[in-house]
Amino acid sequence: MSDERRKWHERLNVTLWTLIIPPTVWAGHFLFSYLWAAISCAKEGAFAKFPTLFVAGTVLALAIILLSGWIAHRQTGMRGDSPPHDEGTEIDRLRFLAKSTLLLAGLSFVGVLFTALPVVFIGDCR
Amino acid sequence: MAGGVLAVSALVLTGCNRHQSALAPFGLEARSTLGLTVVLTIGAAAIALAVAAIYVAAARAPEGRLSHKGGMRLVLWLGAIIPTVVLTALLLWALPAMRPLPAEAGDLRIRVEGEQFWWRVAYRPPGAPPLFSANEVRLPVGRTVVFELAATDVVHSFWIPGLAGKMDMIPGRTNRLVVKADKPGTYRGVCAEFCGLSHALMAFDVIAMEPAAFDAWLAAARTAPPRPQDRGAALFAREGCASCHAVADNGTRDIGPDLTRFGERLTLGAGILAPTPENTAAFIRDPHRFKPGARMPAYAHLSEDEALALARWLKRTSPEEGR
């Protein structure tokens, strides 16, 4: 592996902090959805006919999750160390974090979709 | 097979109880909920069996038959992708059932207020004065009805299992429950939120009627059944019953159940006793024996004979009856 290629990966390195991006976005979207529904029902008495803010927020959340999933996916493909595997190495740690981020991104993507679907179907304050 | 067993047991259970069961629906919402229940139960049983079968197959497979890669692929598909697809499909299918039925301004509204431990009922047909009743709800089949649900003391919950899901009755606010019955018959509703000592004794009769019969009943119910000025009437006045109960225009509807059409009710004491004059007399003399915590005071000083005369007078639906 050339030094130049290694640098490109290092710049996008997943860490424990980037690991929590997809679930945090999911949590934020969840909170935003419920607050938005509660506030529009309390203030307006009804959902907006075309909830622009809600659609934009959902698209943004999905985009961030997709992006972190894609970055993580690129890094799961990194070549591991050669045997013997006697101790944890930096590259092992990176590959593990990348795989975890990828799985969390998948879960969060579905989570955001499931949170958004009721708005499409119900659209009622009761 | 499990699905078959479930379907059969559902049928058997339905056979046991047709008047108060979500398995014996007589309204649109309960019907769609039953559909969801059956599909989810059978689906869950099928998935449990399939997982068990895969487990057995994996445990019995000869050595070397299963590869790590194949196992990981199985986990990816059966553990992540297929569940996600199935859950998404179920969500898309079930969400429309959560949509409230549409109601229009011209639909019949029935206001029901929960009290410890009975139900105050007011029919509010469009463009007509309200009709008051208690502990019984009549519905026209095939028409949309809007229940306006409220409470005056504690939180109750209005639940007619065969008609729709339950809806809380909360002091200080009015909840709306839109229903449509689709099968005439006599059913039962209950309080589904613990509300005090006699919570479990707080029920009501639900009578789903053909629309023409309902309209006829509603028109006829506006005329109170004639009651003679006999001993019962004198007792009703002497004991001050009218300070809590209304009989036609005599009395108040703000405290106890309206008794104008008491004789027509299918049960006594909010769904707990057979509506006989003897039970009514016993209830008047000692309500707390049947309904612990009820607010009605005991009229133990009435003789059995007096209580019976009062009960017969209350139960009158026509001048000839009860002589």
Side-chain angles (χ1 to χ4, degrees):
Chain A
M1 197 180 291
S2 71
D3 280 353
E4 200 183 331
R5 196 167 166 74
R6 187 179 288 268
K7 267 180 197 157
W8 180 81
H9 278 290
E10 277 167 4
R11 262 186 282 134
L12 289 171
N13 262 1
V14 286
T15 66
L16 260 186
W17 291 108
T18 59
L19 175 87
I20 61 169
I21 287 179
T24 307
V25 170
W26 175 18
H29 177 266
F30 187 90
L31 196 65
F32 163 75
S33 304
Y34 275 71
L35 287 177
W36 173 77
I39 292 171
S40 32
C41 280
K43 301 269 182 194
E44 315 276 327
F47 281 167
K49 281 222 170 62
F50 185 76
T52 320
L53 184 64
F54 179 77
V55 172
T58 303
V59 169
L60 181 70
L62 290 175
I64 296 173
I65 291 169
L66 272 182
L67 184 68
S68 18
W70 179 78
I71 293 173
H73 174 68
R74 296 302 298 257
Q75 294 182 34
T76 52
M78 283 177 82
R79 193 180 297 170
D81 292 317
S82 1
H85 299 296
D86 286 340
E87 54 188 17
T89 62
E90 277 301 307
I91 200 83
D92 291 342
R93 179 184 144 83
L94 190 73
R95 279 159 52 98
F96 171 74
L97 284 175
K99 189 86 172 186
S100 309
T101 310
L102 179 63
L103 295 176
L104 278 174
L107 181 68
S108 305
F109 190 85
V110 176
V112 168
L113 275 187
F114 281 17
T115 310
L117 275 176
V119 173
V120 179
F121 277 87
I122 297 178
D124 188 288
C125 284
R126 271 170 285 154
Chain B
M1 193 197 131
V5 171
L6 273 167
V8 169
S9 38
L11 282 176
V12 171
L13 287 171
T14 311
C16 295
N17 179 352
R18 292 194 166 277
H19 64 284
Q20 185 194 320
S21 172
L23 296 176
F26 68 98
L28 288 190
E29 193 186 316
R31 216 170 276 288
S32 72
T33 310
L34 178 64
L36 287 175
T37 310
V38 169
V39 168
L40 285 178
T41 311
I42 293 176
I47 289 172
L49 278 179
V51 170
I54 292 172
Y55 184 77
V56 169
R60 288 193 178 164
E63 209 173 339
R65 173 74 66 83
L66 304 173
S67 70
H68 179 258
K69 198 171 177 190
M72 292 310 277
R73 196 176 296 138
L74 194 76
V75 169
L76 176 67
W77 280 93
L78 295 188
I81 295 173
I82 291 179
T84 305
V85 171
V86 169
L87 287 176
T88 309
L90 283 176
L91 186 66
L92 289 175
W93 178 54
L95 273 175
M98 286 177 71
R99 225 183 254 157
L101 290 176
E104 283 160 28
D107 291 327
L108 169 69
R109 289 179 300 137
I110 304 178
R111 184 176 174 86
V112 184
E113 288 172 17
E115 289 258 0
Q116 283 172 322
F117 302 95
W118 60 280
W119 314 82
R120 180 183 290 118
V121 180
Y123 298 85
R124 297 176 186 277
L131 172 75
F132 299 101
S133 179
N135 299 333
E136 179 191 277
V137 167
R138 288 176 185 249
L139 298 167
V141 163
R143 288 193 201 152
T144 303
V145 173
V146 181
F147 280 112
E148 295 174 341
L149 305 173
T152 50
D153 41 26
V154 297
V155 178
H156 301 272
S157 187
F158 179 87
W159 190 27
I160 306 172
L163 183 62
K166 58 189 128 183
M167 177 73 82
D168 277 359
M169 307 170 111
I170 301 165
R173 70 169 278 142
T174 301
N175 281 339
R176 270 163 53 101
L177 176 68
V178 184
V179 300
K180 200 179 218 177
D182 59 8
K183 200 167 100 186
T186 303
Y187 308 93
R188 193 166 182 267
V190 289
C191 179
E193 177 76 38
F194 181 75
C195 61
L197 273 182
S198 285
H199 160 67
L201 302 173
M202 180 172 170
F204 58 102
D205 298 294
V206 182
I207 304 163
M209 309 167 80
E210 294 294 354
F214 178 83
D215 290 339
W217 170 81
L218 196 65
R222 296 201 178 275
T223 317
R227 288 186 168 91
Q229 289 301 317
D230 61 4
R231 191 172 166 220
L235 283 164
F236 189 83
R238 190 189 84 193
E239 298 299 328
C241 304
S243 49
C244 294
H245 296 282
V247 168
D249 293 328
N250 177 19
T252 175
R253 296 188 177 89
D254 296 334
I255 300 174
D258 184 291
L259 299 176
T260 310
R261 301 186 71 79
F262 182 66
E264 160 184 285
R265 284 185 210 148
L266 304 178
T267 54
L268 160 69
I272 55 170
L273 292 169
T276 61
E278 290 73 25
N279 282 347
T280 309
F283 193 98
I284 294 170
R285 296 183 72 224
D286 188 5
H288 308 110
R289 188 175 122 212
F290 305 100
K291 223 154 193 187
R295 301 232 168 118
M296 175 169 163
Y299 285 79
H301 59 278
L302 289 181
S303 71
E304 276 181 38
D305 191 44
E306 285 175 321
L308 206 54
L310 180 53
R312 290 225 162 88
W313 183 78
L314 286 173
K315 287 200 60 63
R316 235 165 240 283
T317 51
S318 66
E320 302 79 39
E321 195 201 19
R323 295 268 172 194

